[in-house]
Amino acid sequence: MGEVKILAIESSCDETAAAVVADGRNVLSNIIYSQIDLHTLYGGVVPEIASRKHIEKINPVIEAALRESGYSLKDMDAIAVTYGPGLVGPLLVGVAEAKAIAFAADIPLIGVHHIHGHICANYIEHPELEPPFLSLVVSGGHTHLVMVKDHGVYEVLGRTRDDAAGEAFDKVARAIGLGYPGGPKIDEASKKGDSTAIEFPKAKVGGSDYDFSFSGLKSAVLNYINHAEMKGEDVNRYDLAASFQKAVVDVLTEHAVMAIRQFDAKDFALAGGVASNTALRAGMASACEREGVRFYCPSPVYCTDNAAMVGVAAYHEYLKGRFADYTLNAVPNLAM
Ligand code: KG4
Ligand code: ZN
């Protein structure tokens, strides 16, 4: 088999993205059109506006991805697309586009699970990484602790019961007036603050040891702000951001370490938009070092939504012959 080249599309939220990936690791192009500026006006992603922007941008983004890869559509061995989970309108734009291209170019179609994509982003810059390994996926919509047993074989150990980690970042950022998207803003603000200034409660949840909950922490932050306002006191936004961020990082790290020990993991891979958080990367890296576990994390550009990760995940589906047909549809709450 020669080199397998896959054209991949990602449009599940507010990034319109296309990439060409060879043999599941080699990214030949990775084009991302971010709609962030558009949604900042509204303080969050507006699904209908996102859908319309995807329609406008998807063709130019795909053309740019092909151009930059140095190949044309006829050189592609397959077309891959995220079909869930995500926002239904945005997902449909990508899925319809991919089906049309698969039909026109007469190449196989591959449907990719967005979270599998995030995990697979780790393969791009770490050629030595192979399953089995433990992965923590933290994004705007998801917080999953996952055992990657083999390529395409995942076991979810724990997940959030309420808000996702990124969602908590976004909501707290809004509450302290840092704007959208909150994650990067809190990350920056924390650098000027004292993470031990305020002690926020650590969320406890019943059921699985590995499940997460962030809504209590979010409420604690909001209560703290309200109390301060009622007493006419100023809130130090930097200390608050740093203390909140520390609470999130501590909980994520503790759960990960618990799983590392229980499953005797040798490799640990961080993934998802929140994986670009400086404190989380540093905290997880040193926890892994203490546990004698190899730590992996994608570069920030492969942490937040992109299509290269979709092309990587699709390669393993391609090798297994797991193709979709033209009935492929968007599945907003696609299970893991
Ligand atoms: O993976 P992603 O791009 O989209 C989803 O699949 O949800 O993740 C976006 C999330 C947002 O909530 C954003 O605030 C968060 O990732 N994020 C961060 C950072 N950069 C992005 N959170 C904390 N620190 C960051 N540096
Ligand atoms: Zn994502």
Side-chain angles (χ1 to χ4, degrees):
M1 188 168 69
E3 191 182 52
V4 175
K5 285 184 276 296
I6 297 180
L7 172 63
I9 299 174
E10 158 63 45
S11 69
S12 66
C13 191
D14 59 344
E15 266 90 28
T16 318
V20 176
V21 180
D23 287 342
R25 303 229 187 215
N26 189 9
V27 178
L28 302 179
S29 64
N30 185 36
I31 308 294
I32 304 167
Y33 171 77
S34 171
Q35 307 180 359
I36 279 180
D37 292 348
L38 196 63
H39 299 289
T40 299
L41 290 168
Y42 307 95
V45 178
V46 184
E48 189 50 36
I49 295 177
S51 306
R52 288 187 214 173
K53 207 61 184 178
H54 282 306
I55 292 174
E56 190 185 315
K57 291 292 174 186
I58 197 148
N59 280 319
V61 163
I62 290 171
E63 279 159 18
L66 284 170
R67 202 182 317 118
E68 199 175 298
S69 77
Y71 291 98
S72 67
L73 191 53
K74 64 176 185 348
D75 302 311
M76 297 298 119
D77 297 288
I79 170 120
V81 65
T82 300
Y83 72 107
L87 300 168
V88 66
L91 283 168
L92 274 171
V93 177
V95 169
E97 178 83 14
K99 288 199 275 191
I101 292 176
F103 182 74
D106 194 21
I107 51 175
L109 174 68
I110 301 171
V112 171
H113 190 295
H114 185 73
I115 305 298
H116 297 176
H118 273 302
I119 295 173
C120 288
N122 276 283
Y123 296 129
I124 297 170
E125 296 156 296
H126 307 292
E128 71 283 16
L129 178 63
E130 285 289 342
F133 61 89
L134 195 63
S135 184
L136 176 67
V137 191
V138 273
S139 73
H142 313 274
T143 308
H144 281 66
L145 193 57
V146 181
M147 182 56 81
V148 183
K149 295 183 155 175
D150 198 349
H151 288 292
V153 185
Y154 303 89
E155 188 194 336
V156 179
L157 305 177
R159 67 183 80 218
T160 181
R161 296 288 184 84
D162 37 61
D163 293 349
E167 206 176 342
F169 270 96
D170 293 336
K171 287 177 178 168
V172 167
R174 188 182 310 168
I176 55 176
L178 292 177
Y180 174 86
K185 299 262 167 71
I186 296 233
D187 198 345
E188 272 316 299
S190 296
K191 290 174 185 154
K192 296 181 208 152
D194 172 7
S195 67
T196 63
I198 311 160
E199 189 146 350
F200 288 120
K202 247 174 233 161
K204 286 198 195 77
V205 285
S208 162
D209 285 348
Y210 297 114
D211 278 357
F212 303 93
S213 166
F214 292 103
S215 72
L217 173 60
K218 176 195 66 193
S219 306
V221 173
L222 299 182
N223 285 340
Y224 180 90
I225 298 169
N226 285 339
H227 277 293
E229 276 172 2
M230 278 189 316
K231 286 190 277 177
E233 291 170 5
D234 281 340
V235 173
N236 182 323
R237 296 200 299 176
Y238 302 125
D239 286 351
L240 191 140
S243 302
F244 159 77
Q245 180 172 276
K246 181 180 185 305
V248 175
V249 171
D250 284 354
V251 152
L252 293 173
T253 317
E254 279 165 23
H255 280 55
V257 167
M258 207 158 57
I260 285 171
R261 291 185 184 161
Q262 185 180 340
F263 296 94
D264 195 21
K266 301 280 178 280
D267 297 277
F268 178 87
L270 206 54
V274 184
S276 49
N277 182 269
T278 335
L280 180 60
R281 291 165 86 96
M284 270 314 315
S286 55
C288 284
E289 202 184 321
R290 282 196 301 278
E291 298 297 317
V293 168
R294 281 178 295 265
F295 172 71
Y296 300 89
C297 188
S299 294
V301 67
Y302 296 127
C303 286
T304 43
D305 288 349
N306 65 89
M309 67 184 199
V310 175
V312 177
Y315 174 67
H316 298 283
E317 299 294 295
Y318 182 96
L319 294 181
K320 292 188 166 118
R322 293 205 290 230
F323 300 112
D325 60 28
Y326 297 138
T327 64
L328 182 71
N329 203 352
V331 185
N333 44 15
L334 183 62
M336 186 73 189

